[in-house]
Amino acid sequence: AGSWFLYDIVTYGANMFSTTLFPPPEGESPASVVLLIGLISFPGALVAIPIANSISMKNLQVLSLSVMAFCFFILERAGSGLGTSNTSARSIITFALMSTADCCGPSVTTYTVPGQIFPTRIRATAHGISAAAGKVGAVVGTFAFPILHDSIGIRGVMGFMAMVCATTVLWTMLFTPEYSVPIVREIERRNNLPIQQQCVFAERLLYSKADCREVEAIAAGGPRRGDRSE
């Protein structure tokens, strides 16, 4: 939920105001700018499909957000012409690369991870809470962009977006679990447990290196490995 919240601040804040960043030349429609950026970045969504089979969702999210942070940093430092019709081609390509990383990474992972790691009986509720956190971030990003734009300028906004992306990378590294298909299957196999015990089992299995038997004992209130019997 936390990474989805932070990510949506960036993606809604930047993409909703792409025509503010890159105003179209006189006589052209703003839709042409949106279309151009969308066409350049769309392959990122296609790349995510084969990549997902060779890299974990956590690592994909960290890698893509790092690329996004780097692109925003470049736009903050060298984004000549941002907000004018004289925007350099380098700035447009950098923003399109950021959008490509977005489509390839967090736009997929923030939706996928909550749909995989939670036990089936609470998955819809847990995923809904995560999605709601994301929508709160979308509201924050949409309202914050014009305020920041007026107070610190477009390049300052790019620096802010870079910091939010970097914060999301750190959040992902600390709180998003590293998991695989066998781990998800082990969680599903415990559907016969009371829901509270299954949730404890899932949390322990996702965030610790303990084996399934030890985790199951902990979930049931049993002793941990190495505990001494009295």
Side-chain angles (χ1 to χ4, degrees), residues 96-161:
L97 176 61
M98 183 282 301
S99 296
T100 300
D102 183 347
C103 291
C104 180
S107 69
V108 176
T109 57
T110 53
Y111 184 86
T112 302
V113 172
Q116 292 181 331
I117 64 174
F118 292 109
T120 303
R121 287 174 286 178
I122 64 167
R123 184 172 297 160
T125 300
H127 196 285
I129 293 172
S130 297
K135 297 308 168 278
V136 172
V139 171
V140 172
T142 303
F143 278 92
F145 187 97
I147 295 173
L148 292 172
H149 175 262
D150 291 341
S151 60
I152 60 177
I154 285 186
R155 294 177 70 169
V157 174
M158 296 297 97
F160 171 77
M161 295 297 183

Side-chain angles (χ1 to χ4, degrees), residues 175-196:
F175 300 112
T176 299
E178 185 84 47
Y179 65 94
S180 60
V181 173
I183 288 178
V184 174
R185 287 176 178 169
E186 286 296 334
I187 294 172
E188 292 305 307
R189 286 178 57 193
R190 270 64 181 186
N191 280 332
N192 60 318
L193 293 174
I195 186 60
Q196 185 174 0

Side-chain angles (χ1 to χ4, degrees), residues 40-77:
I40 297 174
S41 60
F42 177 71
L46 301 179
V47 171
I49 299 174
I51 286 182
N53 293 323
S54 57
I55 185 173
S56 68
M57 291 289 103
K58 177 178 182 177
N59 290 336
L60 179 59
Q61 184 163 302
V62 168
L63 177 62
S64 299
L65 283 164
S66 298
V67 173
M68 291 173 65
F70 179 74
C71 289
F72 279 121
F73 177 76
I74 294 298
L75 289 171
E76 189 272 332
R77 302 297 295 179

Side-chain angles (χ1 to χ4, degrees), residues 22-46:
F22 307 105
E26 187 175 353
E28 291 192 19
S29 170
S32 62
V33 176
V34 177
L35 178 61
L36 175 62
I37 295 173
L39 289 175
I40 297 174
S41 60
F42 177 71
L46 301 179

Side-chain angles (χ1 to χ4, degrees), residues 1-17:
S3 57
W4 203 341
F5 167 78
L6 293 168
Y7 159 69
D8 273 7
I9 292 177
V10 173
T11 191
Y12 279 84
N15 293 324
M16 289 286 288
F17 296 92

